Amino acid sequence: MSPKVADPVRAAETEAAILEAARDLAAEGGLDALSMRGVAAQVGLSATAIYHYFENKQALVTRVVTLGFERFVGYLRAAIAELPRGSRERLRALGDAYIRFALENREYFKVLFGTYSETPQDIEELPDGGGYDLFRQTVVEAMESGAIRRADPDLVVLYLWAHVHGLVTLLLACRPEARCRHTGEQLSAPDLFARFRDFVYSGLRPQGAPEVETDGASAS
Amino acid sequence: MSPKVADPVRAAETEAAILEAARDLAAEGGLDALSMRGVAAQVGLSATAIYHYFENKQALVTRVVTLGFERFVGYLRAAIAELPRGSRERLRALGDAYIRFALENREYFKVLFGTYSETPQDIEELPDGGGYDLFRQTVVEAMESGAIRRADPDLVVLYLWAHVHGLVTLLLACRPEARCRHTGEQLSAPDLFARFRDFVYSGLRPQGAPEVETDGASAS
DNA sequence: GCTGTTAATATAACGCTGTCAAGTTGACAC
DNA sequence: GTGTCAACTTGACAGCGTTATATTAACAGC
């Protein structure tokens, strides 16, 4: 009964080649540039042959996204490798790496986090939680060392993540940094991130104001 | 010499109808659902007739985006209309409205801020600066009233904007809030925003730590 | 009233897309 | 041999944005 696996190695290689081609195309020109025919041409197959390895384009894209998150997590991991555990420096490095990844892999980044991809990836299914785990561990260690205040780690992770993610997506989407003309010079994403550091650390509360919120508002 | 303007009123109405149909389709199913043929069918024209009013699909999308930002700014404006100038409450309301717009107009929001649209809108060209002006004014007033600390307004605007924008785009893209299982219940975007408030106001600095950064890091 | 111009539309087609149906080839099992 | 199945191919379909070309109707000037 044993089914005829003609050559499992070659099959795996072909699938890997397809995946690689798809990744390259997506990294170069985004999802628009990732076409079945384009991938097929790069691999030397007919377009329909891909359907033997991937159910449809969506499945292929999903795999490409997974690959991308591995690469993304690699950026993060490398960024903090040499930095002392528990340091706030490590948190900064994560943010810097996040930004660097987005800027150095613009199209790829858009594919990964693009709200247009019909890939509503649950982050839980991604390798390393799509970077969440690494982020979380770094936050927990920073809390334990006293580098940042103690609070719900998941909340803080999401807070910091949204902070850096919002910065890059906003810049990628509508370049609002042009509005920051205080000194005339153009502010890059890393520049802005550095200037936000103080807000993240000390907040927007005026110096001397009580630490507990006393704003008149009671609702919401 | 006067060119034959057959019926300028009717022409304007047709253009408006096209725009309206395009907006509806985009709001319903995102950019993918916005096709020239689809719009044409809804208006009762042939697809190519649209090219008489818009140079190409890109131009049509750009107009739809502009319309969307007007709607977006309407949300923001309405949210703070009844709140006292200079209050931090107003800043909160802006954030809440931002989130509400994103959740109530998911597909539309993706079109406006989608990094896939080949519409790298410079925010300056949008009505009301795409909401930037309103945001900025609110920040400036909050600074003047002492509700938040004094700093470069543009920096603070971008900081707050990135904060709320990052939150919603992250949630729209990969639902990381599932990771926040501290209390077991599901946290919605407005919930999360409310919980982040304290971080934004007081920062992540541990209570009692000096206001000036004294982290060991010198680099970066 | 005829002629020329032009707005406003239509039809047909091109090349692209994802996808499906059907056919081909070759390796292996019995 | 014969059958089965993996690994492909070709051909086609419907949809896309876009272009070229044609049609119709309205108006301007003579």
Side-chain angles (χ1 to χ4, degrees), chain B residues 50-91:
Chain B
I50 301 177
Y51 286 82
H52 217 259
Y53 298 90
F54 301 91
E55 195 192 341
N56 47 32
K57 186 182 181 181
Q58 185 51 59
L60 178 57
V61 170
T62 300
R63 288 288 302 276
V64 168
V65 169
T66 303
L67 268 185
F69 268 100
E70 274 166 21
R71 188 180 164 84
F72 173 64
V73 173
Y75 264 67
L76 301 184
R77 214 184 287 280
I80 64 170
E82 314 253 299
L83 298 175
R85 284 176 182 272
S87 65
R88 225 162 52 234
E89 212 183 341
R90 265 199 161 192
L91 279 177

Side-chain angles (χ1 to χ4, degrees), chain A residues 2-63:
Chain A
S2 59
K4 335 292 137 70
V5 175
D7 189 344
V9 174
R10 204 173 86 91
E13 278 172 357
T14 306
E15 182 174 330
I18 293 172
L19 218 40
E20 190 182 337
R23 165 171 52 78
D24 289 350
L25 288 177
E28 216 172 301
L31 261 195
D32 290 346
L34 197 171
S35 74
M36 297 301 254
R37 285 174 169 85
V39 170
Q42 194 129 327
V43 184
L45 291 175
S46 72
T48 53
I50 300 177
Y51 286 82
H52 220 260
Y53 298 90
F54 302 91
E55 195 191 341
N56 49 31
K57 185 182 181 181
Q58 185 52 59
L60 178 58
V61 170
T62 300
R63 289 287 302 276

Side-chain angles (χ1 to χ4, degrees), chain B residues 2 8 14 24 29 39 65 85 96-97 100 108 136 152-153 158 185 190 197 207-208 215:
Chain B
S2 58
T14 305
D24 289 350
V39 170
V65 169
R85 284 176 182 272
D96 282 328
R100 206 154 39 76
Y108 211 3
R136 191 181 194 281
D152 183 325
L158 210 49
E185 94 267 55
R197 201 115 66 210
Q207 288 203 3
D215 196 42

Side-chain angles (χ1 to χ4, degrees), chain A:
Chain A
M1 240 324 197
S2 59
K4 335 292 137 70
V5 175
D7 189 344
V9 174
R10 204 173 86 91
E13 278 172 357
T14 306
E15 182 174 330
I18 293 172
L19 218 40
E20 190 182 337
R23 165 171 52 78
D24 289 350
L25 288 177
E28 216 172 301
L31 261 195
D32 290 346
L34 197 171
S35 74
M36 297 301 254
R37 285 174 169 85
V39 170
Q42 194 129 327
V43 184
L45 291 175
S46 72
T48 53
I50 300 177
Y51 286 82
H52 220 260
Y53 298 90
F54 302 91
E55 195 191 341
N56 49 31
K57 185 182 181 181
Q58 185 52 59
L60 178 58
V61 170
T62 300
R63 289 287 302 276
V64 167
V65 169
T66 304
L67 267 186
F69 268 100
E70 275 166 22
R71 188 181 163 86
F72 172 64
V73 172
Y75 262 68
L76 301 185
R77 213 184 288 282
I80 64 170
E82 315 252 298
L83 298 175
R85 284 175 181 273
S87 65
R88 225 161 53 236
E89 213 183 340
R90 263 200 163 192
L91 279 176
R92 283 181 211 167
L94 276 186
D96 281 329
Y98 201 111
I99 292 171
R100 206 152 39 77
F101 178 84
L103 296 185
E104 291 174 5
N105 308 276
R106 277 170 190 260
E107 294 305 323
Y108 211 4
F109 180 82
K110 292 179 189 176
V111 174
L112 299 198
F113 291 102
T115 51
Y116 269 124
S117 93
E118 282 305 320
T119 357
Q121 296 268 1
D122 249 334
I123 206 178
E124 312 227 8
E125 300 161 9
L126 293 171
D128 203 8
Y132 191 96
D133 297 343
L134 195 63
F135 228 129
R136 191 179 194 281
Q137 194 191 350
T138 308
V139 164
V140 168
E141 288 171 357
M143 282 181 188
E144 285 170 353
S145 77
I148 62 173
R149 71 149 122 166
R150 285 182 186 279
D152 183 325
D154 288 308
L155 270 188
V156 173
V157 168
L158 210 49
Y159 167 66
L160 290 175
W161 195 346
H163 171 62
V164 62
H165 184 76
L167 177 60
V168 291
T169 53
L170 210 50
L171 295 186
L172 255 42
C174 55
R175 326 190 193 291
E177 83 278 14
R179 285 296 173 111
C180 296
R181 38 174 158 266
H182 33 89
T183 56
E185 95 266 55
Q186 186 83 324
L187 286 176
S188 70
D191 288 341
L192 285 167
F193 184 61
R195 304 214 185 191
F196 290 162
R197 201 115 66 209
D198 191 38
F199 298 148
V200 174
Y201 188 58
S202 296
L204 293 180
R205 183 180 56 204
Q207 289 202 0
E211 301 224 350
V212 187
E213 286 219 50
T214 55
D215 196 41
S218 58
S220 176

